[in-house]
Amino acid sequence: MSFIKKNSLVVSIALAIIAAAVVTAFWVKGGSVLAFLGDGTSFDGNAFEIWKLPVLFILAAFFGLAAEKLSAARYLMISAGFLVFWFAAGMLFTKVTGMSFLFLPVAFLMPLVFAAVHTKKLWIIDDRLNQKLQRLAQTGQLLEGKSADFRIESGLTLLKTVLPLSEVIVFKRRDSGELMPIGRTRNESGTDSLSSRQNSWRNNVEMCERALDSGETVLQIEDETKGAAKIALPLVVDDLKVGGLFINVREDFEQEDQNLLEAFSDQLARNFQRKDLRDNSIRDGSKAGLFSTANNLNREGIVNLVKGTIEEQSFGVVATSYFREAHAIAYLDGTIAHANRQMLGLAKVTEQEIAGINLFDLLERFKTDLFNEPKIAIRRVLQTGKAYECELEFPEVETKLGLEINLVKNSTEIGDSEIIEKPACLLITFRDITAIKENEKMRSDMTNLMSHELRTPITSIQGFAEMLMLDENIPEESREYLQTIANESQRAANLLSNFLSVANLQQSDKKEFLKSPVKLDKVVEEVVGNLQDEAKRKRIRLVERQDKRIPVVAADRGLITKAISHLIDNAIKYSPERSSVIISTILESDFLRVEVEDRGYGIPAAEQEKIWQKFYRVARTGQDKEEESTGLGLSIVKEIIEQHSGDVSVKSEDGFGSKFSFRIPRF
Ligand code: ADP
């Protein structure tokens, strides 16, 4: 087959030559054939002469070429015209030269060449179609045997779970129309006699036949009060009758159950066809595929199955209408593929209108002060492949929406088991977060209030403890207690102040920051200067490393100073004496990075994710009495950096040291 495909033109010309040979053979034996067609002698001009042969064969090659290159309709049209011309030219030729001419052989040759070449062309297309269908059937496990059987089995289990069934029989319809049982489950071991069982079997088959003939469910109520019934359902896929399903319900059958059974039998019919098609796989097109009815029926089945599978897959999209969130799927050209009911409601568009708008038009409807350039958000998602998240506030309707834009990727197999992920579409999700945000605000307001209220008594406790310590009459022993009270209240005050700064950071809107051009290397220098005394106490060397020409960033200087202080302070706190801490300011293509590296205690791998959480402290033997520790420092750093559209990271090895770093975008 591949030879024919590769040398299509040569094969066509060869077929035309063979056709010419066949015509010649008839011609030589002309008498009988022509006599059969009419009075042979009246076709005097067609008498066989050797000089006519080359002309016939050259014409055949020419016809072969034309049949290969032209469509069927054009070939037939042109050949009709050619025959008229040929006839006229032949008459003229005979008149002038008195010699006979070859009209009839040419008239036979033309359709013969056409039939041969055209069949070959169809054959090639047919083979290609076969291969494609075979591949299609293999992909998506359309015909995967296990899944078809599994689906049928799982379907029957589902049915048994929801209805008290005493018997289920699945019939397959043979080509002859006869029903053949292929699966049967019985819950009750019958005590009936053989003849009554045979009778009821015949009745069951008959019910299924009736259902299949009429295309409708046949219901036979056995016992009205108990709700016992026999139901026969046709299994039909796209007008193709594939089998029947017989069900015997013991009790509690309700009229509404019929809807369930009908929906179920649709699904079963599709699964059934899957199984059936797999059993008769498509024949190789290079054999008699084109002319085989069984093969062509199989192909029709596969097309039906693909149709069914598309329908099944569309369930996923339809199901999104039952989500609480509003969803829209957009193709990469920006057109909307699907928007669920909630999205239509939120965007205030009708189903007809959504067909006429694109993704940008849709997002325009959700523009706020913060989300004022939807195009930039989409561009970021497409560039980075990372999700875009944003909270949108609509004060006029007192609503807050959480927006998420995701780039959906599809994995495609290339070559030998290599899989690549290609962007497929965009998924836009809006979540109503009004209630959650309100709740969060209430909780944080309450804790803030509590923290504020606690501050005053704690400060008094600390103040009075310190005052009492100044009293010389207080005995030494009590003085020690007073020192503890003062230290602990200092610790509580620190904790509260850290806690309040996290809470303030979380509440503040990004707009509230006083962003101004800040030179990060200068900030680092300043912080290092401030912490020099503390470092010296532990004989720790603070080393600064800076790239040349560090550009400015837009930042809140106070907050960034706080973040860097926390990192260097931690590095000093969690390092042994006589070690060093290296602070680097690095210029990257789109970011500025600050790294704080120490040779300290390090953090176990399992805890590295958690240290950014509020109040999380790494428990170390001998250090759990760390007075300065609140577990809030790193969460403040993270919050500050994220508010500056940057991110934080840590690399650490337990016992060898840590490298904390953050980066913020350049101006
Ligand atoms: P705090 O230092 O107040 O306990 P942080 O949020 O700053 O709170 O840090 C959380 C935990 O992370 C600390 O308990 C500490 O064990 C660990 N940690 C922070 N920085 C370092 C560091 N440079 N080296 C080792 N551990 C660290």
Side-chain angles (χ1 to χ4, degrees):
M1 196 58 172
S2 70
F3 170 83
I4 299 180
K5 267 191 225 163
K6 272 193 208 126
N7 305 290
S8 188
L9 180 64
V10 178
V11 174
S12 291
I13 293 178
L15 283 173
I17 303 282
I18 294 169
V22 172
V23 169
T24 311
F26 275 105
W27 197 9
V28 174
K29 293 244 169 209
S32 52
V33 180
L34 292 179
F36 174 74
L37 288 171
D39 180 5
T41 49
S42 64
F43 289 99
D44 186 34
N46 296 300
F48 181 75
E49 280 164 285
I50 201 79
W51 68 267
K52 291 177 183 168
L53 271 191
V55 179
L56 189 73
F57 277 84
I58 289 168
L59 277 175
F62 176 71
F63 294 156
L65 182 79
E68 170 72 21
K69 296 284 173 206
L70 301 177
S71 67
R74 286 196 71 190
Y75 179 89
L76 291 176
M77 225 168 64
I78 292 176
S79 54
F82 178 80
L83 277 183
V84 173
F85 158 78
W86 192 249
F87 182 69
M91 297 281 278
L92 202 69
F93 181 80
T94 313
K95 228 181 196 140
V96 175
T97 62
M99 287 201 315
S100 66
F101 198 66
L102 66 173
F103 172 73
L104 208 54
V106 170
F108 276 114
L109 183 64
M110 282 199 95
L112 202 59
V113 170
F114 170 75
V117 174
H118 202 67
T119 310
K120 185 218 69 177
K121 275 162 85 176
L122 284 180
W123 205 324
I124 291 177
I125 297 171
D126 185 71
D127 186 56
R128 241 183 356 235
L129 184 69
N130 246 8
Q131 282 176 1
K132 288 213 168 123
L133 277 177
Q134 263 168 347
R135 235 173 291 144
L136 187 67
Q138 278 156 12
T139 52
Q141 294 165 342
L142 214 58
L143 283 186
E144 215 242 294
K146 207 169 81 204
S147 92
D149 285 335
F150 173 73
R151 276 162 161 255
I152 293 175
E153 220 172 277
S154 147
L156 290 178
T157 315
L158 177 113
L159 208 57
K160 273 194 264 171
T161 323
V162 294
L163 280 174
L165 305 180
S166 61
E167 190 176 17
V168 179
I169 313 169
V170 183
F171 290 99
K172 176 186 156 79
R173 185 177 183 272
R174 286 224 177 102
D175 289 343
S176 57
E178 187 192 344
L179 288 179
M180 185 181 70
I182 59 152
R184 183 175 187 195
T185 54
R186 269 176 82 112
N187 277 0
E188 285 162 3
S189 54
T191 46
D192 320 343
S193 68
L194 182 67
S195 70
S196 84
R197 259 186 284 153
Q198 276 175 345
N199 265 345
S200 85
W201 176 260
R202 232 170 284 131
N203 174 41
N204 300 346
V205 176
E206 209 183 84
M207 270 178 77
C208 274
E209 276 170 351
R210 253 192 293 144
L212 211 52
D213 282 344
S214 63
E216 278 171 19
T217 309
V218 175
L219 182 67
Q220 192 175 306
I221 303 283
E222 298 284 286
D223 184 338
E224 192 125 14
T225 47
K226 234 170 92 187
K230 286 181 172 175
I231 308 111
L233 296 124
L235 298 180
V236 182
V237 202
D238 278 295
D239 301 333
L240 200 71
K241 296 173 179 173
V242 290
L245 174 69
F246 172 81
I247 293 170
N248 194 346
V249 186
R250 228 179 311 134
E251 56 198 7
D252 295 341
F253 180 80
E254 291 166 20
Q255 208 64 38
E256 287 82 9
D257 289 333
Q258 191 171 330
N259 297 339
L260 162 83
L261 290 175
E262 279 168 6
F264 171 79
S265 63
D266 279 352
Q267 180 73 49
L268 185 68
R270 263 198 303 273
N271 295 342
F272 214 68
Q273 202 189 21
R274 258 190 198 107
K275 183 175 157 51
D276 213 28
L277 282 169
R278 188 181 161 269
D279 296 344
N280 319 309
S281 61
I282 299 187
R283 219 172 289 169
D284 183 357
S286 56
K287 306 217 177 81
L290 177 61
F291 303 106
S292 146
T293 29
N295 194 40
N296 281 307
L297 281 176
N298 263 348
R299 295 201 291 197
E300 190 195 357
I302 289 197
V303 172
N304 283 341
L305 202 59
V306 171
K307 205 172 132 211
T309 308
I310 292 173
E311 197 182 314
E312 276 175 11
Q313 289 190 345
S314 71
F315 295 166
V317 173
V318 179
T320 61
S321 284
Y322 293 82
F323 288 172
R324 285 214 182 139
E325 293 98 2
H327 283 288
I329 299 166
Y331 296 123
L332 292 183
D333 59 8
T335 50
I336 310 267
H338 172 75
N340 72 353
R341 237 184 343 203
Q342 285 75 348
M343 180 62 88
L344 298 181
L346 262 188
K348 298 196 182 64
V349 282
T350 62
E351 211 146 331
Q352 287 76 34
E353 281 166 346
I354 197 97
I357 65 173
N358 68 16
L359 174 64
F360 300 109
D361 302 330
L362 181 75
L363 289 178
E364 281 292 309
R365 292 164 187 252
F366 296 95
K367 251 166 77 166
T368 63
D369 292 349
L370 251 177
F371 183 67
N372 52 6
E373 288 263 25
K375 279 184 187 141
I376 295 184
I378 299 286
R379 197 169 139 206
R380 250 225 337 255
V381 175
L382 289 172
Q383 277 173 343
T384 61
K386 288 199 191 126
Y388 173 89
E389 284 177 43
C390 180
E391 279 174 18
L392 315 182
E393 199 172 339
F394 303 93
E396 62 282 8
V397 280
E398 291 182 358
T399 309
K400 280 187 183 160
L401 294 179
L403 162 67
E404 202 177 315
I405 306 175
N406 277 292
L407 182 64
V408 180
K409 291 185 189 141
N410 192 14
S411 28
T412 359
E413 210 169 310
I414 50 158
D416 290 337
S417 71
E418 200 189 331
I419 291 173
I420 50 157
E421 291 222 303
K422 274 192 179 170
C425 60
L426 288 159
L427 173 67
I428 293 93
T429 313
F430 284 106
R431 208 167 278 130
D432 192 338
I433 50 168
T434 321
I436 302 172
K437 285 281 147 191
E438 240 160 49
N439 199 315
E440 261 176 28
K441 189 169 178 314
M442 216 168 70
R443 270 191 318 183
S444 88
D445 282 354
M446 234 165 69
T447 35
N448 277 358
L449 195 78
M450 286 275 292
S451 315
H452 268 296
E453 293 300 311
L454 276 175
R455 231 193 208 171
T456 330
I458 286 175
T459 320
S460 322
I461 295 172
Q462 195 188 0
F464 284 117
E466 278 167 6
M467 244 166 69
L468 276 176
M469 278 201 299
L470 294 177
D471 187 345
E472 285 173 4
N473 299 329
I474 301 253
E476 194 55 35
E477 201 181 311
S478 310
R479 198 175 289 277
E480 225 173 82
Y481 294 144
L482 280 175
Q483 185 64 52
T484 313
I485 294 176
N487 286 351
E488 287 300 309
S489 47
Q490 172 67 49
R491 194 166 109 90
N494 280 350
L495 200 122
L496 278 182
S497 110
N498 268 343
F499 184 75
L500 279 172
S501 47
V502 182
N504 282 344
L505 270 173
Q506 279 179 338
Q507 268 187 3
S508 57
D509 201 314
K510 282 179 188 125
K511 283 183 303 180
E512 283 177 26
F513 286 154
L514 279 177
K515 281 195 182 161
S516 57
V518 173
K519 291 207 80 185
L520 276 187
D521 44 346
K522 291 279 170 283
V523 178
V524 169
E525 245 175 71
E526 196 182 300
V527 175
V528 167
N530 291 342
L531 290 173
Q532 225 31 287
D533 285 348
E534 196 186 323
K536 274 193 189 133
R537 248 178 270 141
K538 282 183 86 174
R539 306 201 186 167
I540 288 174
R541 214 157 56 91
L542 299 181
V543 185
E544 275 175 69
R545 285 196 189 144
Q546 286 163 358
D547 275 354
K548 280 184 212 129
R549 285 200 299 275
I550 297 285
V552 290
V553 287
D556 181 316
R557 194 183 167 95
L559 289 179
I560 287 291
T561 310
K562 199 175 210 164
I564 298 177
S565 300
H566 272 300
L567 291 183
I568 305 182
D569 189 41
N570 276 354
I572 299 173
K573 250 191 332 192
Y574 301 109
S575 291
E577 291 200 349
R578 291 176 205 282
S579 58
S580 52
V581 173
I582 304 163
I583 307 109
S584 324
T585 317
I586 302 157
L587 176 62
E588 292 180 349
S589 53
D590 292 327
F591 293 90
L592 272 187
R593 180 183 289 282
V594 174
E595 273 178 10
V596 179
E597 191 175 356
D598 61 54
R599 308 261 180 275
Y601 311 133
I603 301 157
E607 309 206 47
Q608 286 176 16
E609 277 286 305
K610 301 182 199 153
I611 53 173
W612 304 101
Q613 294 168 7
K614 266 183 247 163
F615 302 112
Y616 192 84
R617 293 160 65 189
V618 180
R620 289 192 184 85
T621 38
Q623 281 173 50
D624 36 9
K625 285 206 187 121
E626 186 64 70
E627 279 178 13
E628 295 289 302
S629 183
T630 58
L632 282 169
L634 289 180
S635 64
I636 295 179
V637 175
K638 186 165 186 268
E639 193 67 43
I640 292 177
I641 300 304
E642 282 178 357
Q643 302 263 20
H644 282 83
S645 317
D647 52 34
V648 288
S649 64
V650 61
K651 271 191 204 143
S652 182
E653 209 176 322
D654 200 10
F656 290 96
S658 323
K659 193 200 264 182
F660 279 85
S661 79
F662 69 79
R663 54 175 203 172
I664 45 183
R666 286 169 61 172
F667 231 166

